Amino acid sequence: MTWIRPLAAHAPRPCTLVVCRGCCCGDPRKNPGSDHAGQLARLREAAAASGGRLAVRTSDCLGPCAQANVIVVQPTSEARSRGARAVWFGWALDDTATDEIIDWARSGGPGSTPLPDTLELHRIDPPAPKEPTTPRRGRRR
């Protein structure tokens, strides 16, 4: 079977905000004072108004649940080709943190614009990669 890559796979990728909405992030029971739905709506509005320079996706659990809400800002394909890597933010629970992430991503994000000091306070390390599991072979009976 031949796999055909979609045409969009070759298009330049914009700065992308990956918003965790797994078990803890976005859960009003864990962080009841935060407007989780409002945060996601604001991020999507910023992307829609960016003229294609920003994209937003949601993801299941990204891992650092104790630091919810987690947002990962991925660089543009151009910045990635120059060595830029994704930047992880935790405790993004209020409008100020959301605004700062949007503003930084709008200005280019990783590899294009220096990280503001205020966002450095939200920066977290990504979780360590998981060791690959070896599939167990079942016994024939």
Side-chain angles (χ1 to χ4, degrees):
M1 180 164 130
T2 304
W3 185 76
I4 300 172
R5 176 179 272 190
L7 290 175
H10 297 288
R13 188 169 116 184
C15 185
T16 303
L17 307 172
V18 181
V19 184
C20 183
R21 284 299 181 253
C23 63
C24 296
C25 295
D27 185 347
R29 292 170 295 174
K30 181 168 183 162
N31 293 299
S34 297
D35 181 4
H36 303 286
Q39 178 187 53
L40 188 55
R42 290 179 64 225
L43 293 168
R44 287 182 172 154
E45 287 168 10
S50 75
R53 291 180 298 119
L54 288 179
V56 174
R57 344 178 317 216
T58 58
S59 175
D60 285 336
C61 187
L62 292 171
C65 298
Q67 298 161 331
N69 287 345
V70 174
I71 299 175
V72 179
V73 181
Q74 297 176 327
T76 64
S77 53
E78 179 185 335
R80 185 171 291 277
S81 71
R82 294 190 313 263
R85 296 293 171 251
V87 178
W88 288 60
F89 297 104
W91 304 288
L93 295 166
D94 61 15
D95 289 342
T96 301
T98 303
D99 288 342
E100 290 173 354
I101 291 169
I102 290 169
D103 290 344
W104 183 59
R106 269 190 198 135
S107 69
S112 298
T113 305
L115 185 66
D117 292 339
T118 52
L119 273 182
E120 188 64 49
L121 297 171
H122 287 277
R123 189 175 184 171
I124 62 172
D125 292 327
K130 293 181 180 180
E131 291 294 321
T133 57
T134 305
R136 294 202 275 173
R137 296 176 187 246
R139 294 184 185 188
R140 293 184 185 191
R141 295 178 193 222

